[in-house]
Amino acid sequence: MAQDNEDIRSRIRTIADFPKPGIQFRDITTLLLDPEGLRLTVERMAEAVDGQVDLVAGIEARGFLFAAAVGYRLGTGVLLIRKDGKLPGATIAEDYALEYGTDRIAIHADACAPGARVLLVDDLIATGGTARAAVRLLRKAGAEVVQAAFVVDLPELGGADALRGDGIAVNALVGFEGH
């Protein structure tokens, strides 16, 4: 379960009925605009890492922001997980299910050495579809995904629990009820 980080939670704006009625969109742009909020977020994400990691993997696109900052703080490299077709050169990819259809994410084939210890980072975990696909993709590349870190967890949607079921330790700074 997410820690009680009220100072971070208070900097995340909720927009009702976006992108469709009934959805409570958790908007991190207000957190990113706040220098102290951003600093606290990055520090706490980095402090929650258990053990040594070789790379921080960020999921496109907001995950890139936090992965780069956390990687800098931890002294690691940053691995980009992108939508398929966005990376030049040889890639490996993984498909995953969406509400209607499928999508595909990819990394460079040489992005990590076999056995690399990887921290997976994104801004938000909801159903976990993209994060679970990212774990499968990293494992396909030979990485050991040791932990996943998120700014926001929507626990009712079950994504963090699904990742835990896949053997991944999960940390989220704040949790919000609802969708």
Side-chain angles (χ1 to χ4, degrees), residues 84-124:
D84 195 34
K86 300 287 185 178
L87 292 169
T91 62
I92 58 174
E94 182 72 25
D95 293 322
Y96 62 101
L98 298 170
E99 187 175 357
Y100 300 104
T102 61
D103 209 344
R104 188 172 176 92
I105 53 174
I107 62 173
H108 279 120
D110 60 356
C112 67
R117 295 174 51 82
V118 176
L119 168 68
L120 179 65
V121 169
D122 205 356
D123 68 317
L124 183 139

Side-chain angles (χ1 to χ4, degrees), residues 2-168:
Q3 303 169 18
D4 182 21
N5 288 300
E6 186 56 38
D7 51 354
I8 292 172
R9 177 190 315 279
S10 68
R11 290 171 163 99
I12 298 170
R13 173 173 54 183
T14 298
I15 301 175
D17 299 320
F18 182 83
K20 61 184 185 178
I23 302 294
Q24 298 293 312
F25 187 83
R26 308 307 176 171
D27 180 19
I28 60 144
T29 62
T30 49
L31 174 67
L32 294 171
L33 286 167
D34 185 297
E36 179 68 3
L38 179 58
R39 184 188 65 76
L40 290 170
T41 301
V42 171
E43 283 183 4
R44 290 179 190 163
M45 289 179 89
E47 288 167 359
V49 174
D50 186 20
Q52 180 66 33
V53 296
D54 301 310
L55 291 169
V56 177
I59 299 173
E60 187 170 337
R62 293 178 303 266
F64 292 173
L65 302 169
F66 295 104
V70 170
Y72 175 80
R73 180 89 175 359
L74 296 175
T76 70
V78 176
L79 185 156
L80 303 180
I81 300 173
R82 303 232 32 209
K83 293 189 182 298
D84 195 34
K86 300 287 185 178
L87 292 169
T91 62
I92 58 174
E94 182 72 25
D95 293 322
Y96 62 101
L98 298 170
E99 187 175 357
Y100 300 104
T102 61
D103 209 344
R104 188 172 176 92
I105 53 174
I107 62 173
H108 279 120
D110 60 356
C112 67
R117 295 174 51 82
V118 176
L119 168 68
L120 179 65
V121 169
D122 205 356
D123 68 317
L124 183 139
I125 179 89
T127 64
T130 307
R132 293 180 79 202
V135 168
R136 291 190 306 272
L137 179 59
L138 291 164
R139 287 176 173 167
K140 187 186 296 185
E144 178 188 355
V145 183
V146 295
Q147 190 173 340
F150 304 93
V151 179
V152 175
D153 179 18
L154 303 178
E156 289 178 27
L157 297 179
D161 286 339
L163 274 178
R164 289 182 190 101
D166 292 340
I168 306 298

